Amino acid sequence: MKFLNFLVKPASGLCNLRCQYCFYEDEGNNRLQKKRGIMQPPVVDQLLEQAFRCIDPGGTINFTFQGGEPTMAGLEYFHQFTAKIKERHPRNIKIALFNSNQWYPFGQNMGGIFPARGFSGRYFHRWV
């Protein structure tokens, strides 16, 4: 495949901001298990492995963080996710990282990770 898009929900229903536009509270209330916790490293490994296996040379993979509030996963989650991408991604593909939420900092210095690791605010950055 030339283009792959993944909607990554690292913290799923853990958010409690109750934003007016958010559907996730209702989604959680209609599940057998309302909250599924933080996405664990083996799940991230599997996601990246399958993405890199399926992408064609010269292709682009987009990872968009969404679902509840992604920063609930914590700063270390994003350090690990981006480090794993840099370690493993084939150099002949492009990777774009997006955010579709507010990046609410929850008292952590979340802003510093994004420029340092390839994120740019709530938009994207590409590694070539």
Side-chain angles (χ1 to χ4, degrees):
M1 297 185 148
K2 279 290 197 189
F3 298 97
L4 291 173
N5 297 294
F6 294 93
L7 190 57
V8 182
K9 298 174 183 269
S12 70
L14 294 179
C15 182
N16 64 359
L17 289 177
R18 307 296 181 259
C19 298
Q20 190 173 15
Y21 60 84
C22 187
F23 65 89
Y24 229 83
E25 178 69 13
D26 182 60
E27 181 76 19
N29 289 335
N30 289 299
R31 291 182 177 162
L32 292 176
Q33 183 180 352
K34 181 175 181 170
K35 297 179 181 179
R36 298 180 181 178
I38 305 298
M39 182 183 289
Q40 295 299 303
V43 177
V44 173
D45 293 341
Q46 186 176 25
L47 169 65
L48 295 177
E49 178 185 320
Q50 290 180 11
F52 296 150
R53 185 177 46 225
C54 293
I55 194 71
D56 291 338
T60 300
I61 302 174
N62 297 319
F63 294 102
T64 301
F65 297 98
Q66 195 264 345
E69 175 52 54
T71 58
M72 293 292 294
L75 188 59
E76 187 59 27
Y77 173 86
F78 293 98
H79 280 296
Q80 291 176 3
F81 194 98
T82 55
K84 287 178 181 191
I85 287 175
K86 287 183 176 185
E87 288 170 11
R88 301 175 185 177
H89 96 277
R91 297 293 170 199
N92 60 350
I93 64 167
K94 294 177 184 165
I95 297 176
L97 303 171
F98 296 85
N99 170 43
S100 66
N101 288 64
Q102 300 299 317
W103 290 116
Y104 190 80
F106 291 97
Q108 298 180 23
N109 183 15
M110 298 298 289
I113 188 174
F114 305 123
R117 297 286 178 159
F119 291 89
S120 177
R122 58 190 300 190
Y123 299 104
F124 72 95
H125 176 79
R126 286 196 167 99
W127 286 303
V128 178

